[in-house]
Amino acid sequence: MKKFLIVVDMQRDFVDGALGTSEAQGIVENVARKIETFDGEIIVTYDTHGEDYMQTAEGRKLPVPHCIRNTPGWQLDARVEAALAGRECTRIEKPTFGSVKLAHMLGELAEGEDFTAEFVGLCTDICVVSNALLVKAAYPEMELYVDASCCAGVTPATHQAALTTMKSCQINVIGE
């Protein structure tokens, strides 16, 4: 059985940049440790926007430019990047919250084998939940996990709400 760790959007703008929070800063070491000790394949997602962000549907609803491709805020947090050093990983840019490409890629990387996938990262209530639900919909028989100690939401309340939603959809929440 294959094992995947999906590191969602651990980018500077979500940790301590344009949309950073103290809760996000508080999980970075947990995420780095998880990466360093994970025995399986690692996939890293990047929230990725262009210079036209403010003209997009997301930009009109969240008018805070962030994760603009190739800017410092788009880069991974340095501690996360250091944890990935020397590890093979697949990196995916995603233009919105959830990535259909991620779900398809998991199937390709699993090469027909059963797999488990564990999600960590930011933000629990937006990108983590979106991606976990997309993968669960695509692979309803696979065991999926979210490590709550390696995730942070926009607020503690919305973090908890997302964890509850994922539990309701039969995604295993660990690390609470």
Side-chain angles (χ1 to χ4, degrees):
M1 175 173 298
K2 293 210 174 196
K3 292 171 44 177
F4 296 99
L5 177 65
I6 301 166
V7 180
V8 179
D9 300 355
M10 287 298 299
Q11 294 157 274
R12 292 177 181 170
D13 272 347
F14 291 127
V15 174
D16 57 9
L19 295 171
T21 64
S22 59
E23 291 83 10
Q25 293 167 34
I27 68 159
V28 173
E29 293 302 327
N30 292 351
V31 172
R33 267 194 305 282
K34 177 76 71 170
I35 290 167
E36 291 166 350
T37 62
F38 188 75
D39 182 26
E41 296 183 46
I42 299 174
I43 299 171
V44 179
T45 71
Y46 286 78
D47 191 48
T48 303
H49 303 291
E51 294 295 332
D52 66 340
Y53 173 75
M54 295 299 286
Q55 285 74 52
T56 67
E58 181 181 330
R60 288 188 295 274
K61 292 182 188 230
L62 177 64
V64 179
H66 64 282
C67 297
I68 307 300
R69 181 183 283 111
N70 297 325
T71 63
W74 180 76
Q75 303 298 324
L76 293 178
D77 177 272
R79 293 162 291 179
V80 172
E81 194 65 69
L84 288 165
R87 300 275 325 238
E88 195 169 308
C89 70
T90 301
R91 297 174 191 247
I92 299 174
E93 291 183 18
K94 55 185 194 54
T96 189
F97 311 129
S99 174
V100 174
K101 181 180 177 181
L102 170 64
H104 292 299
M105 185 173 284
L106 276 171
E108 291 171 11
L109 292 171
E111 300 172 327
E113 290 184 43
D114 285 347
F115 66 85
T116 64
E118 183 175 341
F119 292 81
V120 300
L122 301 168
C123 294
T124 319
D125 47 331
I126 301 174
C127 294
V128 173
V129 69
S130 296
N131 284 290
L133 291 173
L134 279 168
V135 171
K136 186 63 174 175
Y139 306 100
E141 296 302 317
M142 299 304 145
E143 289 293 323
L144 302 184
Y145 299 86
V146 172
D147 187 338
S149 72
C150 293
C151 293
V154 174
T155 69
T158 57
H159 167 76
Q160 280 305 128
L163 295 176
T164 299
T165 295
M166 289 185 277
K167 287 178 191 175
S168 295
C169 294
Q170 302 177 357
I171 295 169
N172 303 292
V173 176
I174 60 174
E176 288 188 280

